[in-house]
Amino acid sequence: MIATSRAPGVGVAGLIVCVTDDEEGVRRRIAGEFGLAGQVPEYRAVLDREGVDGPEDVVIVGDEQAVVRRIGELAEAGVTEFAASPYGDAREQERTLAVLAGLARSAGHST
C-alpha cells in the first residue's frame, strides 16, 4: 500500500514485515488473522486496485535478503517514508527488527 502526499517527492507506505524461513506459513497466518479486513469495502477496493486477493498479498515476507530487496524496491518506487509493522513469532520479530534496524542505520537514522 503506497500513498503519495501532495508534496512532490514524498511517498508513504505502511506494511506488515516479517523475516522468516517459512514465507508460505506466515502468509497463511496473516490470511487467517487479517482476512476479514478484505471484506471491508474500503479495504477491498484497495486490494482490488492492487490486483491481489487478500492482506497476505500486500506484506513483505521472506528471508533477510528478500525483505531488504523488497524494501529497496519501495524506495525505488518513490517511497520516502516507510512504517513497518513487525509480525511473527518472537524469533521472526527479532530477525525482522534486526533487519529494520540495519536499514535505518544505513539510511542515517538512529535506532
Side-chain angles (χ1 to χ4, degrees):
M1 312 266 197
I2 301 173
T4 57
S5 73
R6 294 176 191 247
V10 176
V12 179
L15 297 169
I16 291 172
V17 179
C18 181
V19 174
T20 184
D21 294 321
D22 184 16
E23 181 177 344
E24 186 177 312
V26 167
R27 288 186 187 277
R28 276 194 309 272
R29 290 186 343 236
I30 290 170
E33 291 178 36
F34 300 100
L36 287 177
Q39 296 177 20
V40 176
E42 296 82 4
Y43 194 59
R44 179 76 257 156
V46 171
L47 295 173
D48 290 344
R49 276 195 303 274
E50 294 293 325
V52 299
D53 292 327
E56 69 276 13
D57 299 319
V58 290
V59 296
I60 297 177
V61 178
D63 64 16
E64 284 82 356
Q65 293 81 11
V67 167
V68 168
R69 183 175 51 253
R70 182 67 182 115
I71 292 172
E73 290 169 358
L74 291 175
E76 291 171 10
V79 171
T80 58
E81 301 293 329
F82 179 62
S85 295
Y87 177 87
D89 62 27
R91 179 68 181 129
E92 289 165 336
Q93 287 190 34
E94 181 180 306
R95 290 173 67 190
T96 301
L97 290 171
V99 167
L100 294 171
L103 289 171
R105 280 191 299 277
S106 70
H109 300 287
S110 60
T111 55

